[in-house]
Every structure is written in C-alpha cells, then in structure tokens.
C-alpha cells in the first residue's frame, strides 16, 4: 500500500447522469442511493453538480439534491461541485447553504463555480449572459459577506450569518487566481492534462493569501478514475462518457449515457471518433495495481490534499465496483 495514497482523502462528485432507457427521475434516486453506498466505503465527501437544460444530466438543483443526500446519509460530508454562482443571487445561495448547515451541522460543503448556462436558450431563461461569469470574484465576495454579516445593504442572511460553511472554488479559467486571492480551497482538474493542472496548482499556491476560511492552500484534484479486474473492463467503464462527450462536441447537445456495447456498434464520423478516442486516452484507468501506480505519481507531482473522483458510466454495478476497488487502495 502506498503511504501517500493511504494518507489522502478520497471524495466523490456524482453528476446524476441520465441513461438511455431510464427516466431522469431515476438518475436522481440513483444519486441518493449511491451516496449511501459511497459513505459505507469510507469516502470523505459526496458532492452533486448543477446543470440546466442538459438531457444527459438530471441534477439541476444541487442544494435540493444535497439536502436529500445529507438526509439519507449519516456522517459523510455533503456538498456541491458546484453551485454556479453567476446563475444565482448570492443572498439566495447563502440562505440555501445556511439552511443546509442548520439541518446537517458540520457536514455541509459549499463548492462554487463560475460557469453560466450551457446554451443561449438556458442563459436567456436564467436571465444571464456569458459576461456574468466575469464578475465571479465580486459575486464570491458578496456571498461570503452574507455569512460574515458584512453586507453593505444592511440586510442579513438568515440563518446563514455567523455559520461556517467551508467554501471551495472550482478552478476553471481564472478560478485558480480567484481562489488564491480569496484565500479559499481550490478544486482543479482534470487528470488528463497533468502539466496544465500542475501550472494551475503552482499559480494558486504562489498567490494564496490566508483568510478566515483557510490559513493555507488546500488543493483538491479531480477527474475520472476507473478500476476493474482487467484493463479492458476498466476501459469499458470509460466508453459511455467518452461517446457522450464526443457527441456533444459534434452535435451541440449532451445526451444520456448509452451502454458501452451499444457505443462500440455505432458508426462515427472521423471527427466524432477523434473526440471519442481523446476521451478514452490519458484517464486513470486499469487494475488496482496500475491505478495505484498512476495515482501515487500524480499525488507526488501535485502534493494534492484530496482527490475528487468524477467517474460516470452506464453500468451502475460496475461503477460501484470501481469505487469499491479504489477505496480498497487506501486500506
């Protein structure tokens, strides 16, 4: 067993991916059930995501789903990866997390991202546009101010004010710099782009300014990790998501996950196949021994404090088995 793996907390981000032949509501119920299973395996956190108007993702209301997950579990930390702050008023986000923390004290995380709606139609429905992401740093400061009781409006966020809900910044684009200047923990991916990820981490650590939320840098690396009895079985876990991503890059919509065997029977254009192969390459996938070696290398290269695993696939039993095998690497 690797000492660096054994000493690093493992956490999970579940995107509530929909599957061909299954209704979206089932994906949400799967997420709640999966959280209970992940807790039994000893993972540190369980986070859910925010997507609007995406056929392949059922999770559109992360704080609502986080409440269901926290209610169904006992001790695992629960949070968002993340709430997309430009889509919301910071006061409302503060209130939602204040309610969660009041109901499940000491278990709630506030993961925050700077993305806006996926399509023009979604952004219009939300009353937002792409430029709203440019003020993420200001929105973040306003949000944290509601917890500190420092809003210049004279209003107060109830029950949030005075509570301590750990904030995390999803480091997309300028996110690493924003996290560093705000003195907040940072989540960065993905594991395929190691050099880019290392540059982002170095930038964050070099510019980090201590804050009431964190006295020193805290780095969470995120990405897909697939573990199975054979390299071929691990690759099969990656196939549905790789195809779905390839389809979204060529058709502009992110579809439900298909079974791996159906993907391999589908014709693809050269462009689709290129994206598909790119989605399969560079991932942390293989047997326990292979993944342990790769993961130990990444952890030593990055000195990361935590690993957030984001694997999705069609076969729910195979997915759980992968997470079980991964958890066993820390035993």
């Amino acid at each position: 067993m690797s000492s660096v793996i054994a000493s690093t907390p493992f956490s999970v981000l579940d995107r509530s991916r929909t599957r061909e032949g299954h209704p979206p509501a089932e994906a949400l119920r799967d997420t709640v059930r999966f959280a209970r299973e992940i807790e039994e395996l000893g993972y540190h956190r369980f986070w859910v995501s925010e997507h609007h108007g995406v056929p392949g993702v059922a999770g559109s209301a992360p704080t609502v789903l986080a409440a269901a997950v926290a209610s169904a579990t006992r001790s695992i930390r629960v949070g968002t990866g993340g709430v997309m702050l430009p889509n919301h008023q910071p006061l409302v986000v503060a209130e939602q997390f204040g309610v969660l923390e009041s109901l499940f004290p000491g278990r709630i995380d506030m993961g925050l991202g700077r993305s806006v709606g996926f399509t023009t139609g979604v952004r219009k429905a939300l009353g937002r546009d792409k430029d709203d992401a440019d003020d993420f740093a200001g929105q973040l400061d306003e949000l944290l101010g509601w917890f500190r009781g420092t809003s210049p409006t004279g209003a107060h966020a109830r029950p949030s004010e005075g509570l301590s809900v750990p904030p995390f910044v999803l480091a997309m684009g300028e996110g690493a710099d924003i996290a560093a200047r705000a003195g907040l923990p940072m989540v960065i991916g993905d594991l395929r782009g190691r050099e880019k990820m290392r540059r982002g981490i170095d930038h964050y650590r070099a510019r980090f300014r201590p804050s009431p939320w964190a006295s020193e840098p805290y780095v969470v690396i995120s990405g897909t990790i697939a573990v199975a009895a054979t390299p071929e079985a691990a690759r099969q876990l990656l196939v549905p998501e790789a195809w779905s991503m390839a389809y979204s890059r060529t058709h502009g919509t992110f579809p439900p996950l298909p079974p791996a065997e159906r993907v391999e029977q589908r014709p693809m254009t050269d462009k689709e196949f290129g994206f598909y192969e790119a989605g399969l390459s560079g991932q942390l996938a293989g047997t326990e021994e292979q993944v342990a070696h790769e993961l130990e290398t990444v952890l030593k290269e990055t000195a990361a404090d935590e690993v957030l695993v984001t694997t999705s696939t069609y076969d729910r039993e195979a997915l759980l088995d992968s997470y079980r095998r991964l958890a066993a690497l820390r035993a």
Side-chain angles (χ1 to χ4, degrees):
M1 179 185 65
S2 163
S3 60
V4 68
I5 291 177
S7 62
T8 303
F10 286 5
S11 298
V12 174
L13 169 64
D14 187 73
R15 293 191 174 91
S16 302
R17 293 287 276 116
T18 59
R19 298 182 292 157
E20 284 186 2
H22 298 263
E26 185 177 329
L28 296 172
R29 294 191 293 268
D30 284 343
T31 290
V32 175
R33 181 167 53 250
F34 189 47
R36 289 195 293 264
E37 295 165 334
I38 287 298
E39 181 177 54
E40 292 298 318
L41 292 174
Y43 283 83
H44 184 49
R45 310 180 200 273
F46 189 94
W47 284 4
V48 296
S49 64
E50 174 183 338
H51 296 273
H52 299 283
V54 179
V57 183
S60 56
T63 53
V64 176
L65 185 53
V69 168
S71 182
T73 53
R74 300 182 303 277
S75 58
I76 194 170
R77 297 196 64 88
V78 176
T80 56
V83 165
M84 297 301 145
L85 199 49
N87 289 338
H88 310 282
Q89 291 296 332
L91 169 61
V92 175
V93 175
E95 290 172 336
Q96 291 172 346
F97 279 98
V99 169
L100 283 169
E101 176 63 21
S102 298
L103 293 173
F104 309 100
R107 293 182 56 203
I108 300 301
D109 299 321
M110 185 167 58
L112 305 161
R114 64 188 296 268
S115 295
V116 290
F118 185 61
T119 65
T120 301
V122 168
R123 290 191 294 272
K124 184 176 180 181
L126 290 169
R128 300 291 188 270
D129 59 45
K130 288 184 178 180
D131 294 340
D132 286 307
D134 296 339
D135 190 35
F136 178 64
Q139 295 158 355
L140 182 62
D141 186 61
E142 180 183 344
L143 171 62
L144 299 180
W146 290 113
F147 288 92
R148 297 191 300 262
T150 58
S151 172
T153 65
H156 298 271
R158 309 293 187 200
S160 314
E161 190 172 309
L163 297 180
S164 181
V165 182
F168 295 74
V169 172
L170 275 61
M172 296 173 285
E174 300 174 8
D177 191 58
I178 292 170
R181 284 189 279 114
L184 300 179
M186 177 187 72
V187 182
I188 188 167
D190 66 35
L191 295 172
R192 289 177 299 172
R194 308 281 179 83
E195 184 56 39
K196 182 179 179 181
M197 186 173 68
R198 284 196 298 269
R199 288 197 304 269
I201 292 171
D202 290 344
H203 181 92
Y204 165 73
R205 288 191 174 123
R207 289 162 176 78
F208 183 86
R209 298 192 295 210
S211 74
W213 303 95
S215 59
E216 57 188 26
Y218 190 89
V219 174
V220 182
I221 57 173
S222 69
T224 295
I225 303 176
V227 193
T230 65
E232 294 75 22
R235 183 184 183 278
Q236 286 294 97
L237 284 166
L238 304 176
V239 164
E241 186 78 26
W243 179 85
S244 187
M245 290 296 295
Y247 188 91
S248 73
R249 297 287 297 274
T250 53
H251 293 77
T253 184
F254 198 56
L257 295 175
E261 57 272 16
R262 193 174 302 167
V263 170
E264 294 170 333
Q265 297 169 357
R266 286 180 172 172
M268 298 186 202
T269 65
D270 290 344
K271 188 175 182 180
E272 277 180 316
F273 188 72
F275 286 129
Y276 172 68
E277 284 291 305
L280 292 173
S281 64
Q283 307 279 18
L284 266 67
T287 63
E288 287 94 328
E289 183 178 359
Q290 291 170 325
V291 169
H293 174 74
E294 282 293 310
L295 188 54
E296 182 176 26
T297 299
V298 174
L299 289 172
K300 288 180 176 178
E301 288 176 352
T302 61
D305 299 284
E306 187 174 333
V307 177
L308 181 68
V309 188
T310 64
T311 311
S312 298
T313 196
Y314 180 90
D315 187 332
R316 301 293 303 184
E317 287 301 318
L319 180 65
L320 179 60
D321 182 64
S322 175
Y323 277 101
R324 185 181 294 114
R325 290 172 184 270
L326 179 61
L329 297 182
R330 300 186 68 249

